[in-house]
Amino acid sequence: MRRQRAVPGLGLGLGFRASRRASLLRLGVVAAMLTSFVASCSSSSGTQASSTVSSTIAPSGAQSSSGGAASTGSSTAPVSSASSATSAPLAGPAGGPVPRGFQPYSATFVSALAGWVLGSAPCSSPPCTSIVRTRDGGATWRGIPAPKAGIGTGYDNQSSAVVDSLRFADATDGWASGGALFATHDGGATWHSVRVGSAGSVVIGLETTGGSVYASVDRCAPSADSCTPNTVTIYSAKVGSDSWSPVSAAVPAQAIGHLVVHGSTWYLPSTTGIYTGSATKQGRTLPNPCPNDEGFGATATIAVADASHLDAMCVSDGAAGSARYQLYGTVDGGLHWSKAGPSRIEASGLSGIADNARRVLLVATASGASQILRTTNDGVTLTPARIAAPSGGLEWADLGFTTPSHGIVVLLKTAFYLSRDAGATWSAVKFT
């Protein structure tokens, strides 16, 4: 089953952190996964700165990204192509104290030890965007410089000069996106603005895997009164480079979902199918597993466990804070899809899915409550994971796996959680 959040690393589905733009997905599907992080307020001199598939969940490890963690399976959280390590490489600035009042937005891990978290903290001179970093699996954190940009999606703020997602490919190369795009090639010591696409374009999704980084770019700025045609194009660059080139045709923006990458392949779900391609060109378009919802096209939330095994969650019949969920799986790379488990009613806000490539699939939902659901039997049952999340239906981000057992997820502006038992239980991280 699905992977988020994943790029290099374990499997993620939506990648992992997905744009919260409501028009992309009718029910607010978001995706993503990340593990450790370091915060810094950008204004403070760099330191605060139904037939079933025989096995839709892949039995062996894989790397996919749509979230913020290096993943073994597939998820909607950001993931990096780096595998887990026993020791984290020492790169980037020494850092300073974590800013008081730090609130997480996005997370990314390149190993079970090395990770970063993007967030905000009160400061006297906005923008107050901050980044924190860990090199010991979340035991301790340091604040490092952050891009000089506001925080939040461009579509929330009606501005393209903001970021809400963080991804690192390794200890040196990282990107902050969410409207604007910033890059670092020195471990976060410095950040610089990067232009992708035509003037006025905004980056709505970014993931990295296999030595490349990919961005889904909307040619229409959120503040534009009219922009025709409103389309999204996939761009690619080599890790370590700021030279971006288009690798897909333009597709209607209202029809697309969240960018997911795995190995050397990118996936972009839409109502008409799942577009795919590589770092150099567009490939085939896979069929959309989701049936129309009352005459409207539905877009799948996907996760990639390996090149053959993909997961897709379809959401329909949304009303009064709940919706009908149906999981689909494929064992031939997305050419054919079959239902995996029964349909069920869950909270209407799907934030992402993540697959650890060891028969565990996680599903992040939010409405009246915020839950992480878990299946180990191809969707036959979905049971709540043990996680102390506050009530109120807060949105999740960057759900994903760094290793088959090590998972991450962000509760937006509230908490960051780690799991060390494949998502069965989760612990809130203290940024100290």
Side-chain angles (χ1 to χ4, degrees):
M1 295 175 61
R2 174 212 183 276
R3 54 136 294 1
Q4 150 212 76
R5 190 288 227 195
V7 186
L10 299 186
L12 298 179
L14 287 179
F16 170 55
R17 180 164 203 207
S19 164
R20 293 189 298 281
R21 180 175 159 202
S23 63
L24 292 182
L25 294 177
R26 299 179 59 222
L27 295 172
V29 176
V30 179
M33 106 184 189
L34 286 354
T35 316
S36 303
F37 24 54
V38 177
S40 113
C41 184
S42 64
S43 63
S44 298
S45 66
T47 55
Q48 210 190 12
S50 301
S51 58
T52 60
V53 177
S54 59
S55 179
T56 57
I57 299 182
S60 61
Q63 295 184 353
S64 142
S65 174
S66 171
S71 166
T72 52
S74 162
S75 91
T76 56
V79 174
S80 140
S81 51
S83 60
S84 62
T86 56
S87 61
L90 297 179
V98 173
R100 292 174 63 89
F102 177 76
Q103 296 179 323
Y105 272 71
S106 178
T108 180
F109 264 59
V110 298
S111 73
L113 296 178
W116 298 256
V117 176
L118 173 72
S120 65
C123 70
S124 58
S125 301
C128 301
T129 302
S130 304
I131 295 177
V132 296
R133 179 198 64 211
T134 183
R135 290 170 171 166
D136 56 13
T140 61
W141 296 86
R142 300 289 287 173
I144 65 171
K148 298 291 185 181
I151 196 158
T153 67
Y155 297 95
D156 290 340
N157 294 280
Q158 289 295 294
S159 170
S160 58
V162 294
V163 296
D164 74 337
S165 179
L166 185 66
R167 298 292 184 269
F168 270 78
D170 49 41
T172 301
D173 300 288
W175 303 265
S177 64
L181 176 61
F182 291 83
T184 180
H185 302 304
D186 55 14
T190 61
W191 295 84
H192 56 274
S193 177
V194 178
R195 177 172 165 177
V196 181
S198 58
S201 295
V202 293
V203 177
I204 60 174
L206 185 144
E207 302 297 341
T208 177
T209 185
S212 296
V213 56
Y214 301 86
S216 51
V217 179
D218 190 335
R219 68 177 296 271
C220 293
S223 58
D225 293 331
S226 62
C227 183
T228 305
N230 187 5
T231 58
V232 169
T233 302
I234 304 300
Y235 285 76
S236 174
K238 290 293 185 183
V239 169
S241 169
D242 293 327
S243 178
W244 292 76
S245 301
V247 291
S248 81
V251 299
Q254 293 80 3
I256 67 101
H258 305 297
L259 177 66
V260 177
V261 298
H262 171 83
S264 60
T265 303
W266 55 263
Y267 302 81
L268 186 67
S270 76
T271 56
T272 57
I274 301 172
Y275 300 99
T276 70
S278 67
T280 58
K281 63 181 180 180
Q282 185 167 345
R284 70 173 74 195
T285 300
L286 304 173
N288 180 12
C290 298
N292 285 348
D293 179 17
E294 298 181 356
F296 294 93
T299 301
T301 298
I302 69 168
V304 183
D306 57 40
S308 298
H309 298 80
L310 285 72
D311 310 302
M313 187 66 81
C314 299
V315 184
S316 61
D317 302 331
S322 62
R324 183 170 298 279
Y325 284 52
Q326 178 62 62
L327 181 65
Y328 290 81
T330 178
V331 295
D332 59 9
L335 297 179
H336 303 89
W337 296 86
S338 299
K339 289 183 179 179
S343 65
R344 50 179 48 86
I345 301 298
E346 301 291 350
S348 58
L350 173 61
S351 295
I353 61 175
D355 190 326
N356 77 340
R358 297 292 193 278
R359 303 191 65 82
V360 174
L361 181 75
L362 303 179
V363 181
T365 68
S367 182
S370 301
Q371 284 190 312
I372 303 294
L373 305 176
R374 187 173 185 265
T375 180
T376 59
N377 53 14
D378 288 357
V380 175
T381 59
L382 273 177
T383 57
R386 292 179 56 189
I387 185 167
S391 60
L394 298 173
E395 180 186 347
W396 299 102
D398 295 344
L399 173 68
F401 288 98
T402 309
T403 71
S405 59
H406 187 273
I408 65 168
V409 70
V410 174
L411 190 60
L412 192 63
K413 296 189 287 187
T414 303
F416 173 68
Y417 298 88
L418 291 175
S419 173
R420 294 178 174 84
D421 57 7
T425 61
W426 297 80
S427 299
V429 170
K430 293 183 178 180
F431 294 103
T432 58

